[in-house]
Amino acid sequence: DAGVIQSPRHEVTEMGQEVTLRCKPISGHNSLFWYRQTMMRGLELLIYFNNNVPIDDSGMPEDRFSAKMPNASFSTLKIQPSEPRDSAVYFCASTRGGNTIYFGEGSWLTVV
Amino acid sequence: EDQVTQSPEALRLQEGESSSLNCSYTVSGLRGLFWYRQDPGKGPEFLFTLYSAGEEKEKERLKATLTKKESFLHITAPKPEDSATYLCAVQGESGGYNKLIFGAGTRLAVHP
């Protein structure tokens, strides 16, 4: 079984540029999460979708961040404009029916 | 507010030297406590879910236990390949059914 697939794996961008991170959840999973991991703050939940609908976006740091899930097999996390403090590892995760949450390998973002 | 505290922050063991990692939690209505393993450059990998006090689960050299206030991850006769960061997370009623709150993790290094 393919796991959660994220792209790009690594992204280096200049401050002010738009960044789009992509995620394909595990087939059949109906819940999708975006997490951010930093040394200072650990793993933080940014947004949670259930059946493609955003349920909890209270973790989205500010209006520069947006997330969409146009269908059950694809989600994007966009940062516009990006800032150096956005540098982190962004993880996408999915689950079915509230059971075990499975994580992707992460997108490593560096904003210079 | 749901909280998870892991200790120690880092642990160095000799191969074969058994030890335990601690995860203390405060949560409004525990739905589940999760243990994940994270290798450098990878996403968290699911290990165990515990649902009620007194429950125990085992996998190879790892055994997870749960009380009403904390969970322990016991590592018996560890090997160098057990070196990783171990993350604990809780699902509580107040956070929403699928929301995981993570601790900062314990970095384990097992030396031959």
Side-chain angles (χ1 to χ4, degrees):
Chain A
D1 279 347
V4 176
I5 299 171
Q6 292 187 243
S7 64
R9 286 299 316 279
H10 299 274
E11 174 99 6
V12 180
T13 191
E14 291 185 347
M15 183 173 64
Q17 295 298 305
E18 177 179 294
V19 174
T20 299
L21 308 178
R22 298 173 178 80
C23 175
K24 176 178 169 55
I26 294 172
S27 177
H29 283 193
N30 62 342
S31 294
L32 182 140
F33 310 81
W34 283 99
Y35 279 86
R36 177 171 68 177
Q37 187 175 41
T38 61
M39 288 293 293
M40 291 296 295
R41 301 175 66 91
L43 266 169
E44 303 173 283
L45 178 64
L46 299 178
I47 188 167
Y48 156 50
F49 290 88
N50 191 48
N51 294 323
N52 311 338
V53 176
I55 302 299
D56 180 0
D57 65 355
S58 59
M60 295 286 264
E62 47 198 277
D63 291 346
R64 297 184 298 106
F65 286 69
S66 63
K68 292 183 180 179
M69 192 165 185
N71 57 62
S73 58
F74 184 68
S75 176
T76 60
L77 178 68
K78 188 174 291 187
I79 308 171
Q80 166 63 20
S82 57
E83 297 182 3
R85 59 191 168 125
D86 302 330
S87 298
V89 186
Y90 291 81
F91 288 104
C92 179
S94 70
T95 187
R96 177 176 58 198
N99 293 323
T100 302
I101 295 175
Y102 294 92
F103 285 78
E105 295 290 81
S107 291
W108 296 68
L109 174 65
T110 302
V111 183
V112 297
Chain B
E1 184 179 336
D2 299 346
Q3 277 194 321
V4 178
T5 303
Q6 291 188 247
S7 62
E9 258 185 50
L11 182 62
R12 179 189 170 114
L13 298 174
Q14 289 297 123
E15 185 172 1
E17 179 187 3
S18 301
S19 188
S20 297
L21 313 183
N22 178 264
C23 171
S24 298
Y25 64 91
T26 54
V27 64
S28 174
L30 180 70
R31 291 186 183 272
L33 185 140
F34 297 76
W35 282 99
Y36 284 82
R37 168 190 170 129
Q38 187 174 23
D39 292 298
K42 302 284 188 180
E45 176 187 347
F46 170 74
L47 292 174
F48 303 109
T49 308
L50 301 167
Y51 294 102
S52 58
E55 190 175 359
E56 299 183 352
K57 288 196 176 167
E58 287 189 62
K59 179 180 179 180
E60 296 180 354
R61 296 177 293 281
L62 301 177
K63 182 167 92 171
T65 62
L66 181 65
T67 72
K68 289 186 177 181
K69 293 183 179 180
E70 57 192 349
S71 177
F72 291 93
L73 185 65
H74 306 278
I75 304 177
T76 302
K79 298 182 177 182
E81 52 261 42
D82 295 321
S83 299
T85 295
Y86 290 86
L87 298 166
C88 172
V90 295
Q91 271 183 357
E93 290 177 350
S94 63
Y97 187 73
N98 285 318
K99 186 172 184 176
L100 284 181
I101 306 297
F102 279 87
T106 294
R107 293 189 313 279
L108 174 66
V110 181
H111 296 269

